[in-house]
Amino acid sequence: MHDTLTAAPRPYDADSPLAHLLDMVQAVGQPTEDEQRDDAVTAAAHHVYNAYPDTLAKVLYAMDWTGHPALHSPGFAFEPSATAWLDGGLWLHHTLRLSEADGAVDVLTLIVPCTCGRGYTDIVLDCEDMLIEILAELRPTHGKSVHDDNLGDCRTVRPVAPLGRPLAVV
């Protein structure tokens, strides 16, 4: 009878290149949260510098980005990301989406406050021309996304209640 708890013998020598490579992988482990933050900032700055040379690259620098580590929980996983504050309530969010089919794809999202004051609209930017078009639309409202309660395009943000007080229903 075969004992299922017995490890199979190694099919390679203990001093072989494969043994050394497998030992290296075990020693390296996963990147730390600080390494993930640094990598996210580097990826965001690199993407902006290359894909948005006439707009964002002229006003944002690597030090303007804040890195965030990956988040993993049952039911969801988020890649490391970086955010940059543009002022007036506008943010940029960058992440690298990883997939077996496409590899790593840069995803840059502009997060814009709504004119209603209760939420935000997120716009995934495909290219610099799209960014320029969106900024032209936002200019008359000073960087606010025109909000129509009937469209449901605003992600409502509930204000935080002061300590000891219940939150009023909006």
Side-chain angles (χ1 to χ4, degrees):
M1 175 169 217
H2 182 33
D3 186 359
T4 58
L5 298 178
T6 304
R10 247 188 339 212
Y12 52 87
D13 292 333
D15 198 28
S16 72
L18 178 59
H20 289 292
L21 288 171
L22 293 175
D23 289 343
M24 284 181 210
V25 169
Q26 183 177 0
V28 170
Q30 295 295 320
T32 66
E33 286 189 1
D34 285 340
E35 290 170 333
Q36 290 179 39
R37 285 184 183 97
D38 290 345
D39 290 346
V41 165
T42 301
H46 183 265
H47 178 64
V48 162
Y49 179 78
N50 287 306
Y52 299 86
D54 297 322
T55 54
L56 296 175
K58 291 185 177 185
V59 297
L60 286 178
Y61 305 97
M63 66 186 150
D64 295 326
W65 291 92
T66 301
H68 307 279
L71 295 174
H72 298 284
S73 188
F76 72 88
F78 294 106
E79 299 93 349
S81 64
T83 55
W85 171 246
L86 297 177
D87 209 356
L90 282 82
W91 292 87
L92 282 173
H93 178 269
H94 178 271
T95 191
L96 284 173
R97 293 279 158 79
L98 306 174
S99 73
E100 289 183 23
D102 299 330
V105 176
D106 289 284
V107 180
L108 186 63
T109 305
L110 179 64
I111 302 168
V112 182
C114 291
T115 53
C116 72
R118 295 188 322 249
Y120 290 83
T121 301
D122 56 344
I123 305 162
V124 176
L125 302 173
D126 293 330
C127 62
E128 193 162 46
D129 290 337
M130 181 182 184
L131 171 65
I132 292 169
E133 184 179 317
I134 289 167
L135 292 174
E137 291 175 10
L138 296 175
R139 186 171 179 145
T141 60
H142 306 287
K144 304 269 193 256
S145 175
V146 176
H147 174 66
D148 182 349
D149 288 333
N150 297 327
L151 294 178
D153 60 350
C154 167
R155 282 41 159 207
T156 301
V157 177
R158 295 171 96 42
V160 176
L163 291 176
R165 292 188 185 158
L167 182 62
V169 177
V170 179

